[in-house]
């Protein structure tokens, strides 16, 4: 009985481990100056090699920047004094499930779309206070499919 | 080198100036015919030329008609940001001889380039995805494509490369480059995709 309990605990631990790694949606490639991560109610400095999760908020200070690569290959680079929320990120190509929403209420961002931009451009939205920026499909989409 | 699975079609900026005016600029991506659509409650504006810029003053106004900036303008305003942007991910396709985990001679030669691409992207994550063609049963191909991915993984583990995480996956015969009928042997589908991001 005890042994079974131990086993099941072990398995649930394994499951939670894998669930955690699946939640990771992006890797931090570089940071410069003051870059802060706001996750739920905690605020921590963001460093190179850190992973980002859905609902994370990335904030850059003066003369600061951060570069991030999302799991679909999208590139995001934020300049100084920026505030960006990763509202949604679902990338499951085999199940054809895609959703990618970013919201920036101030700052400068460079964004280069990855697989979601190619496979499901309508699933991507870069929100700004005045409205949204979306991407249009290209001839190339047909070719890839 | 093929980049079939990763295509960068769009590149743009968003910038907020001091007087609450937002601008969006489409940059040259690696593919032609990319476009962004900037929308407010009042209407939308499509930018489909490189360095095309639109300005948005409020949610109640349509974004301005696109204006094409010069290369110098873009560099002056955003050169630093462009220079600092991480290198986009890259993918490689390694092809195999039929029925096993032996690489074709051409694919063997790609490893130098793969190594270099990883070094340029440190810290990076790597996905190794094995695929099979449709010769043999579905079950056989799942095992075969996994073994192909694992054989590539063995190569990676022997190098002293600074990789944060490696994921090994197998798609069996489910994700062909060239769709075929069952039972057909297709060299282009016998592959391992390496994604470096």
């Amino acid at each position: 009985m005890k042994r079974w309990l131990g086993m099941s605990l072990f398995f649930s631990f394994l499951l939670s481990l894998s669930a955690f790694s699946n939640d990771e949606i992006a890797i931090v490639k570089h940071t410069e100056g003051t870059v802060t991560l706001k996750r739920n109610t905690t605020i921590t400095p963001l460093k190179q090699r850190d992973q980002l999760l859905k609902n994370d908020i990335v904030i850059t200070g003066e003369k600061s920047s951060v570069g991030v690569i999302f799991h679909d290959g999208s590139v995001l680079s934020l300049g100084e004094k920026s505030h960006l929320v990763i509202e949604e990120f679902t990338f499951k190509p085999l199940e054809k499930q895609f959703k990618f929403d970013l919201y920036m209420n101030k700052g400068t961002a460079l964004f280069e779309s990855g697989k979601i931009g190619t496979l499901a451009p309508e699933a991507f939205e870069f929100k700004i206070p005045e409205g949204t920026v979306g991407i249009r499909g290209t001839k190339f989409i047909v070719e890839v499919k | 080198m093929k980049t079939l699975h990763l295509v960068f079609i769009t590149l743009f900026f968003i910038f907020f100036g001091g007087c609450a005016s937002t601008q969006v600029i489409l940059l040259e991506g690696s593919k032609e015919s990319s476009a962004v659509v900037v929308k407010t409650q009042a209407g939308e504006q499509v930018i489909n030329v490189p360095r095309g810029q639109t300005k948005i003053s409020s949610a109640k106004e349509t974004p301005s008609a696109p204006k094409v900036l010069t290369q110098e303008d873009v560099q002056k305003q955003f050169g630093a940001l462009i220079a600092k942007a991480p290198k986009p991910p890259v993918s490689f396709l390694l092809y195999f001889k039929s029925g096993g985990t032996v690489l074709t001679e051409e694919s063997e030669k790609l490893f130098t380039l793969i190594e270099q691409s990883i070094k340029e992207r440190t810290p990076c994550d790597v996905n190794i995805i094995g695929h099979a063609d449709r010769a043999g049963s579905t079950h056989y191909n799942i095992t075969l494509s996994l073994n192909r991915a694992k054989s590539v993984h063995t190569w990676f583990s022997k190098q002293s490369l600074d990789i944060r995480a490696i994921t090994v996956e197998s798609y069996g015969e489910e994700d062909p480059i060239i769709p075929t009928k069952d039972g057909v042997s297709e060299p282009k589908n016998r592959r391992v995709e390496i994604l470096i991001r």
Side-chain angles (χ1 to χ4, degrees), chain A residues 40-53:
Chain A
N40 302 317
T41 51
T42 31
I43 294 173
T44 48
L46 196 60
K47 304 179 302 292
Q48 193 187 48
R49 280 169 200 265
D50 281 352
Q51 298 290 307
L52 295 177
L53 309 177

Side-chain angles (χ1 to χ4, degrees), chain A residues 15-83:
Chain A
L15 278 174
S16 67
L17 258 188
S18 67
F20 180 74
S21 67
N22 281 339
D23 290 343
E24 294 175 350
I25 57 170
I27 175 174
V28 176
K29 289 292 216 171
H30 78 85
T31 64
E32 181 188 32
T34 321
V35 183
T36 315
L37 169 70
K38 196 174 168 203
R39 180 173 292 166
N40 302 317
T41 51
T42 31
I43 294 173
T44 48
L46 196 60
K47 304 179 302 292
Q48 193 187 48
R49 280 169 200 265
D50 281 352
Q51 298 290 307
L52 295 177
L53 309 177
K54 189 183 135 181
N55 295 325
D56 278 354
I57 301 173
V58 181
I59 304 156
T60 59
E62 229 169 284
K63 291 184 182 144
S64 303
S65 69
V66 60
V68 168
I69 304 258
F70 286 88
H71 281 198
D72 77 320
S74 296
V75 178
L76 175 76
S77 180
L78 291 179
E80 66 169 355
K81 293 181 265 182
S82 303
H83 186 282

Side-chain angles (χ1 to χ4, degrees), chain B residues 39-105:
Chain B
K39 261 187 217 173
T40 64
Q41 290 164 15
E44 66 175 51
Q45 202 63 256
V46 176
I47 313 175
N48 53 17
V49 285
R51 285 175 274 110
Q53 174 214 46
T54 183
K55 286 187 172 174
I56 311 121
S57 45
S58 90
K60 295 191 175 72
E61 283 166 62
T62 308
S64 70
K67 177 188 156 192
V68 180
L69 300 181
T70 63
Q71 201 95 48
E72 293 76 52
D73 278 345
V74 174
Q75 274 304 317
K76 218 166 108 188
Q77 285 194 75
F78 305 109
L81 189 68
I82 296 173
K84 275 177 206 152
K87 252 185 186 304
V90 61
S91 75
F92 292 91
L93 292 176
L94 298 172
Y95 295 100
F96 290 80
K97 292 177 179 166
S98 188
T101 59
V102 181
L103 284 165
T104 62
E105 283 79 20

Side-chain angles (χ1 to χ4, degrees), chain A residues 29 49 51 115 130 132 134, chain B residues 5 37 39 121 162 164:
Chain A
K29 289 292 216 171
R49 280 169 200 265
Q51 298 290 307
K115 266 189 181 177
E130 296 91 340
T132 61
Chain B
H5 278 250
V37 188
K39 261 187 217 173
R121 284 169 180 78
D162 183 9
R164 202 199 62 93

